[in-house]
């Protein structure tokens, strides 16, 4: 056993003991309500209450393994973060349940002494044993007992993203994105908690030495202080349920717990960045992950001229209140906040259908920001990957002139051609979209005129399998079906934020269709109004040449300016 404990005590249970499941858990965790202490060189600071390196004969001494399978935990010799051993966790969807759930977790004794605590560990997720899963894997819990229901704070993974969920009631818990779960490499996480149900609560998280989250306010229920659980719990495997994966294998090393006097240096093995002033994080706003590959700058074009090339095909202003695009942003656009229905805003970089990688955003001007989005849709302020766009400090954005530069990076970190636009944000007036050229996708046509006019500001190709826009459609676009991940397709007509009415679609060419959509978002094959886009007989669409005409109608039935584009679909 390689652990060290100082001042981590639970009051001895005295008098009559009622045999609730919760008390039974506590007693089984440690009869004396405390972790064992052992003097060892692994405890590198007097402020460390616990330091497990897996080098000794006894591991997690004082904590209890909750699992129904013999393969749940073992000490192994590879991979290791330091020393010669690490701890291997394995959970399978066929494992028998333990403590009413499918889990392989170590449960620590109750903390009834100190509300300020530090926690850290090093983790390795092999690509062979940790496949992408769209359901939650809960890797750390700060649990206040079975009488409180689900835990108030958790560290989890979903869709290869690290997430924190924090709140002081089940209804108020919010989710925060901490970045990509890279496989086949070691990750270090440090958590600093001031456990509290009130405004003095604090959660800070560092990933590989970089601070990625600060949340102030309540982070526990109005109940006893939480106890730590380390390992994996997957409630979507309870009973006979299954998910995208059948097995979760990962490794932990150098697990630490610190008292209120601990510091980041006590808890971390990674170089620590100089501390910077930090504000409470916006819910679910991912932490930046900056590509390191060199990038080639392009000279910014003159106002009124778009520079759209390669992987990035355009920009769309996103209404983060309604989670949808409201207009195309081109070089020289003037955006009036008074003309918008909502001012919680974001900007999406539209990418070619064949693109897979990350996009680095660099915003300068009235407000500045640098952020890298590692998964589609690619947005300046980030998103949760499921249609929820964040808005950061753009509620509303400051008025003034902005320059936005977006650089695409391939999956192996190679920089593509950056795209820059300059635009203006005003408090009042009319929004004016430049009538400049906007070539896109696999065969951009530089001379194609802009399709945007009046109420209809552009068209977006919709992937109806994933329910999201994948690229901008403009006059002359050639769309290759083989370059798309899915071919259940729809086309959305983007409209001005002030528009309210209906849009009539008239499609002719390889296939024909006439359809009127009476509510936003306006789509050729329709939608259910809640983010589910239909695809009709476009699964896939027939190859050939198409002309699409979209006519906006006001609420009283008056026709606006129709917009037409011609595009090609190839195999």
């Amino acid at each position: 056993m390689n652990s060290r404990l100082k001042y981590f005590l639970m009051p001895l249970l005295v008098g009559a003991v009622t045999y609730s499941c919760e008390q039974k858990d506590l007693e089984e965790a440690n009869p004396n309500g405390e972790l064992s202490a052992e003097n060892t060189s692994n405890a590198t600071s007097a402020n460390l209450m616990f330091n497990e390196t897996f080098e000794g004969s006894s591991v997690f001494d004082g904590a209890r393994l909750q699992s129904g399978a013999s393969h749940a935990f073992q000490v192994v010799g590879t991979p290791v973060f330091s020393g010669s051993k690490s701890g291997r966790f394995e959970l399978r969807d066929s494992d028998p349940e333990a403590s009413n759930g499918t889990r392989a977790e170590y449960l620590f004794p109750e903390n009834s002494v100190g509300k300020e605590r530090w926690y850290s560990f090093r983790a390795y997720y092999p690509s062979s044993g940790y496949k992408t899963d769209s359901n939650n894997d809960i890797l750390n819990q700060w649990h206040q007992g079975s009488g409180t229901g689900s835990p108030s704070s958790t560290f989890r993974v979903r869709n290869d993203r690290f997430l924190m969920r924090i709140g002081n009631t089940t209804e108020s818990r919010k989710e925060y994105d901490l970045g990509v779960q890279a496989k086949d490499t070691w990750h270090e996480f440090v958590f600093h908690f001031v456990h509290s149900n009130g405004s003095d609560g604090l959660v800070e998280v560092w990933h590989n030495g970089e601070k990625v989250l600060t949340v102030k306010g309540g982070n526990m229920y109005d109940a006893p202080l939480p106890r730590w659980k380390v390992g994996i719990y997957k409630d979507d495997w309870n009973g006979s349920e299954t998910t995208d994966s059948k097995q979760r294998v990962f490794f932990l090393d150098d697990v630490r717990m610190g008292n209120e006097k601990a510091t980041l240096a006590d808890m971390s093995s990674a170089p620590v960045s100089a501390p910077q002033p930090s504000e409470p994080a916006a819910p679910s706003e991912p932490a930046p992950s900056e590509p390191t590959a060199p990038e080639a700058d392009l000279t910014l074009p003159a106002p009124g001229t778009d520079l759209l090339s390669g992987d990035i095909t355009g920009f769309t202003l996103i209404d983060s209140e309604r989670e949808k695009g409201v207009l195309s942003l081109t070089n020289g656009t003037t955006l009036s906040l008074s003309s918008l229905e909502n001012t919680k805003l974001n900007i999406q970089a539209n990418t070619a259908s064949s693109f897979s990688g990350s996009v680095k955003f660099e915003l300068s001007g009235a407000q500045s920001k640098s952020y890298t989005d590692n998964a589609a849709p690619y947005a300046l302020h980030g998103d949760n990957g499921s249609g929820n766009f964040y808005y950061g400090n753009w509620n509303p954005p400051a008025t003034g002139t902005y320059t936005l530069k977006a650089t695409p990076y391939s999956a192996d970190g190679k920089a593509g051609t950056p795209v820059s636009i300059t635009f203006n944000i005003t408090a009042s007036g009319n929004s004016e979209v430049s009538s400049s050229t906007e070539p896109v996708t696999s065969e951009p046509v530089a001379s194609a005129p802009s399709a945007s006019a009046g109420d209809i500001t552009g068209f977006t190709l919709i992937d109806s399998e994933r329910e999201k826009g994948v690229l901008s459609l403009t006059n002359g676009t050639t769309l290759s079906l083989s370059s798309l991940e899915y071919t259940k397709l729809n086309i959305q007509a983007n409209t001005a934020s002030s528009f309210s009415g209906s849009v009539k679609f008239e499609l002719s060419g390889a296939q024909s269709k006439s359809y009127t959509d009476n509510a936003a978002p306006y789509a050729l094959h329709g939608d259910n109004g809640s983010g589910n886009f239909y695809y009709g007989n476009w699964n896939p669409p027939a190859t050939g040449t198409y002309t699409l005409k979209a006519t906006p109608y006001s609420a009283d039935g008056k026709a606006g300016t129709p917009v037409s584009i011609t595009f090609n679909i190839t195999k």
Side-chain angles (χ1 to χ4, degrees):
M1 193 280 293
N2 291 290
S3 60
R4 177 171 177 157
L5 169 68
K6 284 184 180 290
Y7 315 117
F8 188 70
L9 300 173
M10 183 184 77
L12 297 176
L13 299 176
V14 294
V17 178
T18 58
Y19 288 93
S20 68
C21 292
E22 182 64 18
Q23 287 172 318
K24 187 172 186 292
D25 278 349
L26 289 177
E27 292 167 355
E28 291 177 356
N30 189 290
N32 295 321
E34 58 183 271
L35 293 170
S36 298
E38 181 176 294
N39 291 327
T40 169
S41 59
N42 294 310
T44 56
S45 167
N47 300 325
L48 292 185
M49 304 161 61
F50 181 83
N51 189 186
E52 180 58 78
T53 63
F54 305 102
E55 301 297 322
S57 59
S58 178
V59 298
F60 283 116
D61 200 0
R64 180 169 69 89
L65 178 62
Q66 293 181 309
S67 173
S70 60
H71 54 254
F73 178 81
Q74 57 185 303
V75 176
V76 297
T78 185
V80 296
F81 178 79
S82 61
S84 60
K85 297 177 183 179
S86 66
R88 180 186 187 272
F89 288 82
E90 180 177 354
L91 189 68
R92 303 173 188 171
D93 65 354
S94 58
D95 285 350
E97 293 185 13
S99 299
N100 300 313
T102 308
R103 66 182 80 236
E105 295 180 298
Y106 271 99
L107 170 69
F108 284 75
E110 181 180 328
N111 166 23
S112 61
V113 179
K115 62 188 293 185
E116 183 174 3
R117 287 288 179 263
W118 291 77
Y119 313 86
S120 70
F121 58 84
R122 281 28 69 173
Y124 184 97
Y125 307 94
S127 56
S128 59
Y130 213 102
K131 304 293 186 183
T132 303
D133 197 321
S134 59
N135 297 89
N136 285 301
D137 300 334
I138 299 178
L139 304 179
N140 279 214
Q141 301 188 50
W142 288 268
H143 206 300
Q144 295 173 258
S146 60
T148 60
S150 57
S152 53
S153 296
T154 54
F155 171 67
R156 57 185 64 205
V157 166
R158 186 177 64 249
N159 279 328
D160 295 338
R161 306 287 299 184
F162 291 118
L163 307 166
M164 283 290 293
R165 185 175 292 178
I166 303 167
N168 59 3
T169 66
T170 55
E171 296 79 14
S172 68
R173 288 177 301 183
K174 296 178 181 178
E175 196 166 272
Y176 304 84
D177 191 306
L178 305 183
V180 175
Q181 181 201 28
K183 308 291 177 64
D184 303 318
T185 188
W186 283 97
H187 298 265
E188 178 187 89
F189 278 96
V190 178
F191 305 87
H192 176 216
F193 272 81
V194 176
H195 295 292
S196 175
N197 180 250
S199 60
D200 61 332
L202 174 68
V203 179
E204 297 176 292
V205 183
W206 289 261
H207 180 202
N208 295 338
E210 295 291 332
K211 193 172 190 180
V212 295
L213 184 67
T214 301
V215 178
K216 298 179 180 179
N219 53 52
M220 59 173 280
Y221 306 139
D222 188 13
L225 289 167
R227 51 188 178 171
W228 195 25
K229 300 183 78 172
V230 178
I232 180 169
Y233 170 56
K234 198 165 180 66
D235 61 347
D236 290 299
W237 285 354
N238 292 349
S240 59
E241 295 182 70
T242 60
T243 64
D244 306 329
S245 62
K246 294 182 177 298
Q247 179 194 44
R248 315 311 266 157
V249 174
F250 65 98
F251 303 83
L252 292 184
D253 205 349
D254 196 12
V255 180
R256 307 181 189 183
M257 184 187 298
N259 62 22
E260 68 280 1
K261 297 180 180 179
T263 65
L264 181 57
D266 291 328
M267 307 303 297
S268 176
S269 300
V272 179
S273 301
Q276 297 178 351
S278 55
E279 295 297 329
S284 296
E285 184 158 355
S289 174
E290 300 286 344
T292 56
E295 56 186 65
D297 285 332
L298 293 183
T299 303
L300 188 67
T305 303
D306 278 336
L307 176 59
L308 299 177
S309 174
D311 294 317
I312 295 177
T313 63
F315 296 94
T316 299
L317 184 73
I318 301 294
D319 177 338
S320 296
E321 183 79 22
R322 295 184 294 165
E323 313 295 356
K324 71 173 189 176
V326 290
L327 58 87
S328 297
L329 283 178
T330 60
N331 204 49
T333 293
T334 294
L335 171 65
S336 169
L337 296 175
S338 64
S339 70
L340 301 176
E341 182 177 350
N342 300 295
T343 56
K344 294 179 179 178
L345 303 177
N346 200 340
I347 296 177
Q348 177 179 333
N350 307 317
T351 56
S353 57
S354 58
F355 177 72
S356 176
S358 58
V359 174
K360 179 180 180 180
F361 294 87
E362 295 172 273
L363 182 73
S364 60
Q367 289 173 291
S368 299
K369 181 169 186 173
S370 179
Y371 174 68
T372 298
D373 199 339
N374 295 302
Y378 303 99
L380 170 64
H381 295 299
D383 63 282
N384 71 348
S386 301
N388 179 24
F389 286 89
Y390 314 134
Y391 49 87
N393 60 353
W394 272 27
N395 179 30
T399 58
T401 299
Y402 291 85
T403 295
L404 176 63
K405 176 182 174 183
T407 304
Y409 286 82
S410 63
D412 59 1
K414 295 180 180 177
T417 304
V419 175
S420 296
I421 60 170
T422 294
F423 58 96
N424 301 292
I425 296 180
T426 62
S428 59
N430 296 318
S431 294
E432 299 178 4
V433 180
S434 169
S435 60
S436 57
T437 300
E438 199 169 347
V440 296
T441 72
S442 51
E443 296 184 18
V445 182
S447 60
S450 170
S452 301
D455 293 317
I456 295 177
T457 62
F459 296 94
T460 299
L461 183 72
I462 301 295
D463 177 339
S464 296
E465 182 76 22
R466 295 183 295 167
E467 313 295 356
K468 70 176 184 178
V470 291
L471 58 88
S472 297
L473 284 177
T474 60
N475 203 45
T477 293
T478 294
L479 172 66
S480 170
L481 294 175
S482 63
S483 69
L484 299 175
E485 185 174 356
Y486 298 101
T487 56
K488 294 178 180 178
L489 303 177
N490 201 340
I491 295 177
Q492 177 179 333
N494 306 318
T495 57
S497 57
S498 57
F499 177 73
S500 177
S502 60
V503 174
K504 180 179 180 181
F505 294 87
E506 296 172 271
L507 181 73
S508 59
Q511 290 174 287
S512 299
K513 181 170 186 174
S514 180
Y515 174 71
T516 299
D517 199 339
N518 295 305
Y522 302 98
L524 170 64
H525 295 297
D527 62 281
N528 70 349
S530 300
N532 180 25
F533 286 88
Y534 311 135
Y535 50 87
N537 60 352
W538 272 26
N539 180 29
T543 59
T545 300
Y546 290 84
T547 295
L548 177 62
K549 177 182 177 181
T551 305
Y553 286 83
S554 63
D556 59 3
K558 293 180 181 178
T561 303
V563 175
S564 296
I565 59 169
T566 296
F567 58 95
N568 301 293
I569 296 180
T570 64
K571 292 182 179 180

